[in-house]
């Protein structure tokens, strides 16, 4: 599978004019057959549902994660955070009038500021999913993931983007997905009070030891989603789920009794 992706990644750069067509067709296929772009999002179907639940898509890109949340849940508000102006235009067209979705055209970090966002292009093919506030992250990821990679064919566009802290938004999230190409730790720092207070379930791609240790200090345990279950490990997984004991117990209880009463539903919103 890894080699196939490498072949496809190399091949597609010869046809930059097909970029939007590719994503449009992929989205149509996934939504038609209810297939999340990453299978880990199927885990959300194990969560209880409430109109009061808030889901955060941090690093929304083209809305792949938001589509996955919409596929696997039926209630609650989704907040998308995306600083890339090109992607903001894209998701505005897709979700601007969606009743469950609110779009925030800025990134999340540890302080309110402005940062340069670096977007890599190879042979004019935009790798928008690799856009990062870290130049090294944006410029080096492709080096060992393409055949016959040539440095001179890579260009980096940069945009000045707004960054805000999650804590200042006064949200009460039940679930947060974070994929911001090396900026994850700063996003977590800027939401420390929110995370401590509401203990949201977190989904983070390839978390560093620094992130794992940081979240452990809040009482979070790391999990992988394998064969339809949460397993307390992170070996051989791309994404990691983080849950406190109270949230893990909540998920387990819901799996055993998937139709909680309205009174118990209100209790799900309260951190331990």
């Amino acid at each position: 599978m890894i080699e196939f992706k490498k072949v496809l990644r190399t091949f597609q750069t010869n046809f930059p004019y097909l970029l939007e067509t590719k994503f449009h067709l992929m989205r149509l296929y996934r939504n038609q057959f209810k297939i999340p772009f990453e299978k880990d999002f199927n885990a959300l179907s194990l969560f209880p549902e409430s109109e009061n639940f808030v889901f955060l898509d941090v690093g929304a890109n083209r809305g792949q994660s938001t589509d996955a949340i919409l596929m696997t849940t039926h209630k609650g508000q989704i907040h998308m955070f995306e600083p890339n102006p090109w992607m903001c235009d894209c998701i505005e067209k897709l979700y601007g009038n969606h009743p469950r979705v609110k779009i925030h055209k800025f990134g999340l970090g540890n302080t309110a500021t402005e940062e340069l966002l670096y977007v890599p292009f190879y042979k004019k093919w935009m790798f928008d999913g690799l856009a990062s506030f870290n130049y090294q992250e944006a410029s080096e990821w492709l080096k060992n993931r393409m055949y016959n990679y040539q440095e001179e064919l890579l260009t980096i566009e940069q945009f000045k983007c707004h960054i805000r802290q999650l804590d200042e938004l006064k949200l009460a999230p039940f679930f947060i997905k974070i994929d911001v190409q090396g900026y994850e730790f700063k996003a977590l720092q800027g939401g420390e009070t929110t995370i401590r207070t509401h203990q949201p379930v977190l989904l983070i791609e390839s978390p560093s030891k620094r992130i794992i240790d940081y979240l452990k200090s809040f009482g979070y345990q790391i999990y992988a989603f394998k064969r339809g279950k949460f397993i307390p490990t992170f070996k051989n997984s791309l994404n990691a789920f983080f849950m406190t004991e109270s949230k893990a117990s909540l998920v387990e209880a819901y799996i055993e009794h998937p139709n909680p009463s309205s009174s118990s539903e209100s209790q799900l919103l309260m951190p331990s």
Side-chain angles (χ1 to χ4, degrees), residues 69-243:
I69 295 170
L70 289 169
M71 288 177 200
T72 52
T73 70
H74 303 93
K75 299 177 182 179
Q77 191 78 14
I78 303 169
H79 291 255
M80 305 176 75
F81 297 87
E82 178 54 53
N84 185 334
W86 283 330
M87 295 302 97
C88 285
D89 289 343
C90 176
I91 60 179
E92 185 69 44
K93 293 175 184 177
L94 295 176
Y95 307 101
N97 295 317
H98 198 290
R100 289 185 61 193
V101 177
K102 181 175 177 59
I103 300 169
H104 303 274
K105 299 179 181 181
F106 53 84
L108 295 180
N110 59 348
T111 186
T113 186
E114 288 187 340
E115 292 264 14
L116 287 177
L117 180 71
Y118 301 100
V119 184
F121 288 74
Y122 191 86
K123 291 185 180 180
K124 297 184 179 180
W125 180 280
M126 179 173 60
F127 284 90
D128 47 81
L130 302 179
S132 175
F133 293 115
N134 183 308
Y135 182 87
Q136 187 174 358
E137 289 274 348
S139 62
E140 295 188 357
W141 194 90
L142 288 170
K143 285 185 177 180
N144 298 315
R145 293 175 171 87
M146 296 184 66
Y147 288 105
N148 193 32
Y149 176 85
Q150 299 176 56
E151 188 78 39
E152 63 272 17
L153 297 179
L154 178 74
T155 56
I156 303 291
E157 296 282 344
Q158 59 185 44
F159 301 91
K160 186 175 289 188
C161 299
H162 294 287
I163 305 294
R164 296 178 64 181
Q165 292 177 297
L166 173 58
D167 284 344
E168 69 177 274
L169 303 179
K170 306 301 181 185
L171 296 172
F174 177 81
F175 171 84
I176 306 177
K177 161 258 167 178
I178 307 177
D179 184 2
V180 284
Q181 298 296 319
Y183 214 75
E184 287 84 357
F185 187 71
K186 289 185 176 181
L188 290 169
Q189 285 182 308
E192 181 170 324
T193 299
T194 300
I195 292 170
R196 285 186 182 276
T197 302
H198 300 288
Q199 301 177 13
V201 177
L202 302 169
L203 176 59
I204 302 175
E205 180 178 324
S206 303
S208 64
K209 185 178 184 301
R210 185 185 189 190
I211 287 175
I212 294 172
D213 291 343
Y214 179 71
L215 291 174
K216 278 185 178 180
S217 70
F218 301 169
Y220 276 91
Q221 168 70 43
I222 193 168
Y223 294 86
F225 184 66
K226 300 283 188 181
R227 298 178 294 279
K229 299 179 180 180
F230 286 108
I231 301 172
T233 182
F234 179 54
K235 293 181 180 179
N236 303 317
S237 297
L238 174 64
N239 298 312
F241 284 89
F242 292 86
M243 288 187 281

